[in-house]
Amino acid sequence: MTNLPPPAEELRILDAELRQLDLRRAVLLRRRAWLVHTVRAAAAPQPAQGAGAAPGGPPAGPAAGAAARRPETTAPGVQNVLLVLGGVLLTIAAIAFTLVSWGHLGIAGRSLVLGALTAGALGAPVTLLRRGLRATAEAVSGLATALTVLDAYALHEVAFAGADGVGYTAAASAVLAALWAAYGVRLGLFHPLPLAVATAHLPLLLWAIGVGAGPLPLTAVLLATAAGGTAVALRAVSAPVRVVAVVGALGTGAVGVLSAGWLCWSASDPGSAARAAALLVVAAAVALATGRFVPNRGVAVAAAAAAGLCLVAGLGGVLRVSVPGEWAVPGCQLCAILLLTAERTSLPLPLRQGLMRAAVAVQGFAVLWAVPLVAGSVLGPAVQAVTPWSGAPRTVRDAVLADVPAPAYASTVPLVLAVVAAVLVVAGRRTPRRPAVMVVALVLGWAAVHVLPVALQLPYTAGLVTQAAVVVAALGLAVRSDRADGGPSPLALTALLLALLTSVDLALLSLASESATIGVLVTLTVLFGAAGRRPRHAPFTVPAALAHATALACALGASAGLRPPHTALLVLVVPAVAALIASRSSRSRSSGSRATVPVEVAGAAAGLLALALAVPDPPMLALVLSLGGVVAAATALRPERRAAGWAAAVLLLAAAWVRLAAWEVGTPEAYTLPVTGPALVVGFLRRRRDTAVSSWTAYGPGLAATLVPSLLAAWDDQHWLRPLLLGVGALAVTLVGARRRLQAPLALGAGVLALVALHELAPYLTQVVGALPRWVPPALAGLVLLVLGATYEHRLRDARRLREALGRLR
C-alpha cells in the first residue's frame, strides 16, 4: 500500500516541486526568446561582423541589436499600400480629367482618350496576371471599374443628354453590374464581383422611381430585389460577395416589409389591404426559403420568425378592415395560433422553432395591448378612498374609471387575455418549464376575469360579486395546488398573492356604498380567517384577515357615528386578537409558527392606527395607550417575547403621562415617580438574581428619573415644601446607600442633598457676602490656598482613602 505523508509534509513537497517547475519554465522561456531573436537576425541582412558580435551566440552589442531589429512593416503590406494609393490617385486624376478638362478636347479626342484609358485599364490585368502580379492587377482593375463609371457618365453627356437621368442610371447600373460580374469571373479578380452585386440592387428600384411607380409597386420592387440578393447570398462561394449580398438583402427587405406592413394596416378597403398582404406573404415565403437553405441554425430560426410575423401582419391587416375594430387583435391572435400548428408539420426543426417564436411574440404584443385596461382596473378603485360612501354607481366601469375614458376596444380585452392564458396552459404540458408557464397563465387568467366587469360594464353589485368569486377561487386554487404538489409551490404562492391583490381592490371598490363596504369587509375577514387555518398559508392569510378586520372596525365606527378617538377602541380589538393568534401559533411545532411574526406585525400596525385615531382626544389616548400596554404585557408573558415588556412599560408610562397632562397636572413628581417605583423594583429583583450587577445599573436610572427633575424644579421654586420633601427624600436615599453600602444611592442622594442645602442657604450667604468688606473674600481665598498648600500631601492621602472607600461600595 502507498505510504502517504501527512498533509503538511505533502503540501511542502508540492510547493517545492512547483517552485522547481517555475524556475525550469523561466529558463526555457529565456532560451526560446534567444532562439527567436537569432532566427530573425539570420533572416535580416547581416552587417559585417565586428568585435561586438560573437558567432553562434546572442548579439553582444547595440549595433548588432539594431541590425537585427524587427521591421515595423511587412513587404506585402507596403506593396498593398502603394498599389491602393496609386489606383486611388489614378482614379482621381481620371475623374478630374473627365469633369474639368473634358471641354478642351473635341469629340474624337474625347473618345480616343477615354477609350484608350478604359481599354488599357481593362486589358492590363490580363498581362499582369500572366506575370504573377495579382495585387497589381487588382489595383489596375479597380481603376478600370472607375473608368467604366466615367464612360457611362460621358456617354450620357454626349449621346443621351436628353434621356431621363433616373432611367439612364438604372440602365447603366444594370449594364455595369453585368460587365463587372463577367469581368471578375473571367479573370478571377477579387473586387469586381462584390461591386457588381452591390450595383445590381439599384436597377429595379431606380427604374420603378423613373417610371413614377406608386407605393405598392415600389414595395414589390424592394421585395424582389431582396429576393435576388438572398438568392445570391445563398449560392455565393466568395465571402465578400456573400456579405455584400446579405447586407443588401437585409436592407431592401426590411424597408420593403415595413412599407408593406404600413400599406396593409393603413388601407381603407379590403382590396388594398389584401394586395399589401400579398406582398407580406411573398416576403414570408422568401424568409422561409432562406431559413430552409441557410446552413446557420440561428439565422434559420430568425428567418422563420420573421416569416411568421409577416404572415400574421398581413392577415391581421386584412381583418382590420373586414371585421369590427375591436376584433382586429383577437384576429391576429387567431393567426398566431394557426402558426402554432407548424409544430406538427414536417418542416425542419429551426423553421418550426422560428414560427413558434413568432406566435409567442404576437401573443406578447396582444398582452401589451391589454395592459392599459388591466392597469386601470387594478389602480382605479383607489379613487373611491377620496370620497367614500358617496353612493353606489350604476356600473363597475363608472366606479373604476370615474373621470377617465375607457380604452378603445375594451370589450375584447378579457377574450385576448383568456386566449393567451389558454394557449400557455396547452403549451405548458410539453415544456420543461411548466411551473413558470403555469404561473404566467394563472396571472393572465386572473387579469381576464378581473377586467371582465369593467369591459362588459356589469352592474356595480355584479362586479363586487365577481371579484369576491375571484378571491374565493384564488384561495381554493392555492389550497389545491399545495395539496397536489405536497408542499409550497410557485403556483400556490402566486394564487395567494392574486387573492390578496383582488381583496384590496374589492375593499376599495366597495367604498362607494356603506352597506357594500361593511358586507365586503366582513366577507373578506371571514374568508382569509378561514384560509389561515392551513399552516402553509397562514403567513399570508392571517395578516390579511387582520388588515380587513381593522378596516371593518373603522367602517363600523363610522357607520355608528362614532368619533375617531372612540373608533380607536374598536380597532384595539385587532391587536388583542393578533396577540392571541400569535401565542397559539408560536406553540405550534408545524409550519404554522412561521405566521407568528407576520401576525404580530399586523397587530402592531393596527395598534399604531388606533393611537393615531385617538390623538385628538387626550383622555381617550391615555385609555388606548393603557390597553395597548396590557396587550404588550400579555405578549411579554411568552418566553421568546420578553422584550415586549419594555414596550408594555413604555405604553403604560405614556398612558399615565397623557392622563396627567389631560388633568393639567404640572408637578414633575407626578410624572417621574411612576417611573422610579417600578424601576427600583426591577433593579432590586435583578440584584437578587445577579449579585454582580452594579448599583448604578440597578438603581441609578430609577433614582435619577425623580431626583434630577425634582432638583431642577426646586431650584426655581420659591416655596419651601418641594425643597423640604426633596431634601428628606435625598437624605433617606443617602442613609439607605450608607446602610447597604451602595455607591449609586449614596452618591446621588448626597449630591442632591448638598445642592438642596446650598439652594436653601444661598440667600443667607448672599447677605453675608454683601455685609463683609470687599477685602475679606480675597483674604479668605488666599488663606484657604495657603492651608491647602501646607497640607497638600495629607489631603491627597485623605482623598485617596475616600476614593478607595467609595470604590469598596457596590
Side-chain angles (χ1 to χ4, degrees):
M1 297 178 64
T2 303
N3 184 17
L4 296 176
E9 180 65 16
E10 185 179 2
L11 181 62
R12 186 187 65 77
I13 295 173
L14 291 177
D15 290 339
E17 291 181 355
L18 290 174
R19 284 194 295 271
Q20 292 297 327
L21 290 175
D22 290 339
L23 292 175
R24 180 60 179 167
R25 185 174 184 273
V27 171
L28 293 176
L29 288 175
R30 286 197 297 271
R31 180 63 179 175
R32 181 184 182 279
W34 180 81
L35 291 174
V36 172
H37 190 77
T38 302
V39 171
R40 290 175 179 172
Q46 296 292 334
Q49 186 174 359
R69 184 177 302 163
R70 182 181 180 182
E72 295 182 355
T73 59
T74 61
V78 174
Q79 167 190 300
N80 293 334
V81 171
L82 293 177
L83 291 175
V84 171
L85 181 60
V88 170
L89 291 177
L90 287 175
T91 303
I92 294 174
I95 295 173
F97 171 76
T98 304
L99 298 179
V100 178
S101 301
W102 185 259
H104 299 288
L105 299 176
I107 297 176
R110 300 172 190 172
S111 303
L112 289 175
V113 170
L114 273 181
L117 288 176
T118 304
L122 290 174
V126 178
T127 304
L128 294 173
L129 288 174
R130 289 176 181 175
R131 295 176 178 270
L133 302 176
R134 173 168 290 276
T136 306
E138 291 285 352
V140 175
S141 67
L143 173 62
T145 55
L147 287 175
T148 55
V149 176
L150 294 176
D151 286 334
Y153 170 75
L155 184 63
H156 177 269
E157 294 296 324
V158 173
F160 299 100
D164 178 58
V166 178
Y168 179 80
T169 304
S173 60
V175 173
L176 290 176
L179 175 63
W180 292 340
Y183 184 68
V185 172
R186 179 68 180 83
L187 298 182
L189 295 175
F190 179 78
H191 84 281
L193 285 178
L195 188 60
V197 172
T199 308
H201 286 81
L202 299 177
L204 282 178
L205 180 61
L206 293 176
W207 171 78
I209 295 174
V211 299
L216 193 65
L218 280 175
T219 303
V221 166
L222 286 171
L223 293 177
T225 304
T230 302
V232 173
L234 291 175
R235 298 183 60 85
V237 178
S238 174
V241 173
R242 189 164 54 250
V243 170
V244 172
V246 167
V247 172
L250 286 178
T252 55
V255 175
V257 168
L258 292 177
S259 176
W262 179 79
L263 291 173
C264 185
W265 281 82
S266 61
S268 58
D269 58 277
S272 302
R275 287 188 290 270
L279 295 179
L280 289 174
V281 172
V282 171
V286 173
L288 284 177
T290 303
R292 186 178 184 87
F293 295 106
V294 73
N296 188 289
R297 179 186 179 88
V299 175
V301 172
L309 292 177
C310 289
L311 291 174
V312 173
L315 295 177
V318 174
L319 288 175
R320 188 189 66 84
V321 295
S322 303
V323 298
E326 61 268 19
W327 293 100
V329 174
C332 293
Q333 278 189 298
L334 179 61
C335 298
I337 293 174
L338 294 177
L339 288 180
L340 294 176
T341 58
E343 181 68 19
R344 301 183 179 274
T345 63
S346 59
L347 290 174
L349 180 60
L351 298 186
R352 285 181 283 157
Q353 290 179 344
L355 293 175
M356 295 286 289
R357 293 184 181 182
V360 172
V362 172
Q363 302 294 345
F365 290 145
V367 172
L368 292 178
W369 174 78
V371 163
L373 184 60
V374 176
S377 301
V378 173
L379 303 177
V383 180
Q384 298 297 329
V386 179
T387 56
W389 296 356
S390 57
R394 186 177 61 87
T395 64
V396 178
R397 182 179 291 187
D398 296 335
V400 174
L401 306 174
D403 300 325
V404 180
Y409 310 137
S411 58
T412 56
V413 169
L415 177 61
V416 169
L417 296 173
V419 167
V420 178
V423 169
L424 288 176
V425 170
V426 175
R429 298 176 180 176
R430 299 188 301 272
T431 178
R433 299 179 180 178
R434 185 174 182 273
V437 173
M438 297 306 292
V439 166
V440 176
L442 175 61
V443 173
L444 292 176
W446 166 83
V449 179
H450 193 79
V451 302
L452 184 63
V454 178
L456 301 182
Q457 300 189 31
L458 295 181
Y460 177 72
T461 305
L464 295 180
V465 173
T466 302
Q467 291 203 4
V470 171
V471 175
V472 174
L475 292 176
L477 179 60
V479 174
R480 183 178 179 182
S481 299
D482 273 351
R483 184 178 302 166
D485 298 341
S489 65
L491 190 63
L493 181 60
T494 305
L496 279 176
L497 295 178
L498 293 177
L500 294 174
L501 179 59
T502 309
S503 68
V504 173
D505 265 0
L506 178 58
L508 292 173
L509 189 62
S510 67
L511 290 177
S513 171
E514 178 179 351
S515 58
T517 301
I518 296 176
V520 165
L521 291 176
V522 169
T523 303
L524 292 177
T525 303
V526 173
L527 280 177
F528 283 98
R533 300 181 62 183
R534 295 186 61 84
R536 292 196 187 103
H537 304 155
F540 300 93
T541 55
V542 176
L546 294 175
H548 291 305
T550 303
L552 176 61
C554 296
L556 291 176
S559 178
L562 300 178
R563 295 175 51 245
H566 294 86
T567 305
L569 296 178
L570 294 176
V571 177
L572 273 180
V573 177
V574 177
V577 174
L580 179 61
I581 296 174
S583 64
R584 294 186 60 184
S585 63
S586 64
R587 291 194 297 267
S588 175
R589 296 183 180 180
S590 64
S591 58
S593 58
R594 294 178 301 177
T596 302
V597 174
V599 168
E600 290 175 342
V601 170
L608 291 176
L609 177 61
L611 292 178
L613 293 174
V615 164
D617 190 348
M620 189 59 64
L621 177 60
L623 178 59
V624 171
L625 286 169
S626 61
L627 293 177
V630 172
V631 174
T635 303
L637 295 177
R638 291 155 45 197
E640 73 277 7
R641 290 292 184 265
R642 296 301 188 195
W646 295 100
V650 170
L651 290 173
L652 293 174
L653 180 61
W657 285 357
V658 171
R659 174 55 65 182
L660 291 174
W663 287 339
E664 299 181 356
V665 176
T667 304
E669 289 78 9
Y671 297 90
T672 58
L673 287 176
V675 179
T676 298
L680 293 178
V681 172
V682 172
F684 176 74
L685 296 177
R686 184 175 181 185
R687 279 182 59 84
R688 287 186 61 181
R689 289 196 303 268
D690 187 3
T691 57
V693 176
S694 170
S695 63
W696 286 103
T697 303
Y699 303 121
L703 293 174
T706 293
L707 293 178
V708 174
S710 297
L711 179 62
L712 295 177
W715 201 261
D716 292 332
D717 196 348
Q718 302 299 325
H719 301 282
W720 57 272
L721 182 58
R722 176 177 280 114
L724 177 61
L725 295 177
L726 181 60
V728 172
L731 178 61
V733 170
T734 304
L735 294 177
V736 171
R739 178 75 177 85
R740 298 292 183 180
R741 303 185 65 185
L742 299 174
Q743 191 178 91
L746 181 60
L748 290 175
V752 172
L753 183 60
L755 291 175
V756 171
L758 179 62
H759 173 265
E760 294 301 315
L761 294 177
Y764 302 103
L765 293 177
T766 302
Q767 294 177 4
V768 172
V769 171
L772 290 177
R774 295 186 177 181
W775 55 268
V776 174
L780 291 177
L783 181 62
V784 170
L785 292 175
L786 182 61
V787 173
L788 289 176
T791 59
Y792 184 71
E793 184 178 1
H794 181 70
R795 300 301 180 188
L796 284 179
R797 185 174 62 252
D798 292 343
R800 190 180 303 110
R801 290 176 179 175
L802 177 61
R803 185 183 62 186
E804 293 175 354
L806 288 174
R808 287 192 296 270
L809 298 178
R810 292 173 290 173

